[in-house]
Amino acid sequence: MKITKLTTYRLPPRWMLLKIETDEGVVGWGEPVIEGRARTVETAVQEFAPFLIGQDPARINDLWQVMYRGSFYRGGAILMSAIAGIDQALWDIKGKLLGVPVYELLGGLVRDRMKTYSWVGGDRPADVIADIRRLRAGGFDTFKMNGTEEFGIIDSAAAVDSAVARIAEIRAAFGNEIEFGIDFHGRVAAPMAKVLLRALEPYRPLFVEEPVLAEQAEHYPRLAESTSIPLAAGERMYSRFEFKRVFEQGGIAIVQPDLSHAGGITECVKIAAMAEAYDVALAPHCPLGPVALAACLAVDFVSHNAVLQEQSMGIHYNKGGELLDYVLNKDDFHIEGGYISPLPKPGLGIVIDEARVIEASRNAPDWRNPLWRHADGSVAEW
Ligand SMILES: O=C(O)C(=O)C[C@@H](O)[C@H](O)CO
Ligand SMILES: [Mg+2]
């Protein structure tokens, strides 16, 4: 079998799908994208096409190594997202060819269902209580929200109190009937992370995500020493070679590689195994589309240390497109009581609605994240 064509489709709300065709008619789908840089990743995917066309899609490991090691400059968000989407599509092809789900190719299920959570509150996490009530009615009991709005390198007691008050309100409303992660989203710098973690401690969040920016990873061990709250990170780390330093230095209790940013299934299943060796939990990052989620689940269902799966249904970013818009069978992702079942179909386990994808790609918006500024006019982390 040989790869014959790569076609990319940029789609609302801010996603991109990749279709890889072969000379035997088997087609694989991937989701190579960096939110806000879809066109850049699209170019990176198309730069790999001349090498990939004519290759045997079954040789996933060799194709991955060539895409990673074959270019002198390697790694980073753009290249690892391009490789991720291509890798996902290759696993989809292999599973379809052999008539089995990808998790069977990776050794079979370690669990019968995967716990997931829902985002609440949006970019400026004001009233999350109503969101939580609505989603609890749908069976979710685990949530994630942003912890702050713009936050200074050094900020006021009032800013800390405002962030904490919202969390206190949630615990007051729901007690221990729900769990929630708090995403600092890289908005909090090291000096204030310790202050905020200390202030949030009484409300026992399930985890705090990106307590500082990934480029400040050396702070993780010290921050972990300062709090009992489990720290989580990983959406802005793009390969084993970035995660290994985090494992070695300690401090992160939950790693969150993104299956569409960190080299795909081939790379993330290795990151998951490294995490297990360090007694670190896995909770793949996935604010993206259906192929990215299906790829996450392929890794979740073969990883003993997988504990939580992010999914984007109803997430505040999904303006103009939703998770199930581009799959033919809306029951592909069967969520019951906050748990997702394994996807039983061959390959990644979903059937893409190609007509809908082509239609929606005709005038896909170029999504950009907002540019935030502090009161003094300086750039604020979004
Ligand atoms: O889902 C998360 O945990 C996020 O932090 C959302 C962020 O990754 C946006 O997708 C960036 O555009
Ligand atoms: Mg996050």
Side-chain angles (χ1 to χ4, degrees):
M1 180 180 281
K2 293 194 181 320
I3 293 169
T4 54
K5 192 175 180 186
L6 281 76
T7 310
T8 48
Y9 298 96
R10 282 176 286 104
L11 295 168
R14 56 184 193 152
W15 304 336
M16 180 161 72
L17 295 189
L18 163 66
K19 176 184 177 185
I20 295 186
E21 296 174 77
T22 64
D23 59 356
E24 294 183 19
V26 181
V27 168
W29 288 88
E31 190 168 337
V33 71
I34 276 285
E35 307 94 290
R37 288 277 177 255
R39 288 180 187 269
T40 316
V41 176
E42 184 171 49
T43 301
V45 169
Q46 292 307 339
E47 283 179 342
F48 282 121
F51 156 68
L52 290 167
I53 289 169
Q55 297 291 332
D56 176 358
R59 296 195 60 181
I60 301 174
N61 284 319
D62 181 57
L63 296 177
W64 196 98
Q65 292 292 344
V66 170
M67 288 190 287
Y68 181 76
R69 297 181 187 279
S71 42
F72 185 78
Y73 295 102
R74 62 198 57 187
I78 302 300
L79 287 176
M80 296 310 285
S81 297
I83 292 172
I86 293 164
D87 180 80
Q88 292 166 7
L90 295 175
W91 279 102
D92 194 27
I93 289 167
K94 190 181 261 288
K96 286 170 178 173
L97 196 61
L98 299 173
V100 293
V102 169
Y103 57 74
E104 292 298 357
L105 299 174
L106 295 171
L109 298 174
V110 293
R111 59 179 50 84
D112 303 319
R113 56 185 190 158
M114 182 65 198
K115 179 87 171 165
T116 188
Y117 64 86
S118 255
W119 260 92
V120 288
D123 258 348
R124 295 184 184 280
D127 176 13
V128 296
I129 302 284
D131 279 355
I132 292 174
R133 285 214 169 92
R134 173 175 53 81
L135 289 160
R136 281 192 77 200
F140 286 100
D141 64 8
T142 306
F143 306 92
K144 184 164 86 175
M145 67 204 76
N146 280 309
T148 73
E149 298 186 338
E150 296 87 343
F151 215 78
I153 296 176
I154 291 292
D155 215 317
S156 63
V160 172
D161 290 350
S162 164
V164 173
R166 186 170 32 254
I167 303 303
E169 193 187 344
I170 294 168
R171 271 298 176 224
F174 302 102
N176 289 346
E177 292 167 26
I178 64 163
E179 292 305 328
F180 53 85
I182 302 172
D183 195 343
F184 282 10
H185 211 258
R187 294 172 181 173
V188 180
M192 291 306 294
K194 187 173 167 183
V195 172
L196 257 181
L197 287 166
R198 179 76 53 85
L200 289 166
E201 195 119 337
Y203 305 101
R204 296 186 12 223
L206 193 61
F207 59 86
V208 164
E209 179 173 322
E210 287 203 313
V212 291
L213 286 162
E215 56 256 43
Q216 301 292 348
E218 66 274 15
H219 289 279
Y220 292 153
R222 289 190 288 274
L223 288 172
E225 286 302 313
S226 75
T227 181
S228 60
I229 301 172
L231 302 182
E235 68 187 80
R236 289 189 270 194
M237 294 182 228
Y238 307 108
S239 72
R240 282 163 287 162
F241 309 106
E242 293 188 50
F243 279 91
K244 76 172 184 178
R245 294 178 182 85
V246 169
F247 293 131
E248 284 162 3
Q249 71 174 21
I252 291 296
I254 305 167
V255 285
Q256 302 168 303
D258 186 302
L259 265 286
S260 283
H261 301 347
I265 293 167
T266 302
E267 186 69 353
C268 289
V269 79
K270 294 173 184 174
I271 293 168
M274 289 170 74
E276 185 182 0
Y278 285 86
D279 217 13
V280 169
L282 174 75
H285 176 258
C286 190
L288 297 174
V291 181
L293 180 57
C296 289
L297 292 168
V299 175
D300 291 334
F301 278 108
V302 302
S303 302
H304 170 74
N305 53 332
V307 293
L308 266 181
Q309 179 56 55
E310 180 175 21
Q311 51 77 33
S312 78
M313 266 181 262
I315 200 170
H316 45 296
Y317 304 116
N318 286 0
K319 305 285 187 285
E322 250 306 347
L323 185 75
L324 299 179
D325 286 359
Y326 303 115
V327 295
L328 276 179
N329 176 6
K330 306 305 178 192
D331 289 336
D332 281 349
F333 297 114
H334 177 66
I335 298 184
E336 194 167 332
Y339 285 87
I340 294 184
S341 307
L343 306 180
K345 296 191 188 79
L348 289 175
I350 56 175
V351 181
I352 294 298
D353 182 344
E354 188 165 359
R356 179 75 188 269
V357 164
I358 292 168
E359 180 56 36
S361 70
R362 291 200 203 296
N363 52 7
D366 286 324
W367 183 87
R368 291 277 183 276
N369 62 257
L371 174 63
W372 281 8
R373 290 191 179 272
H374 294 295
D376 67 0
S378 59
V379 175
E381 294 289 350
W382 166 63

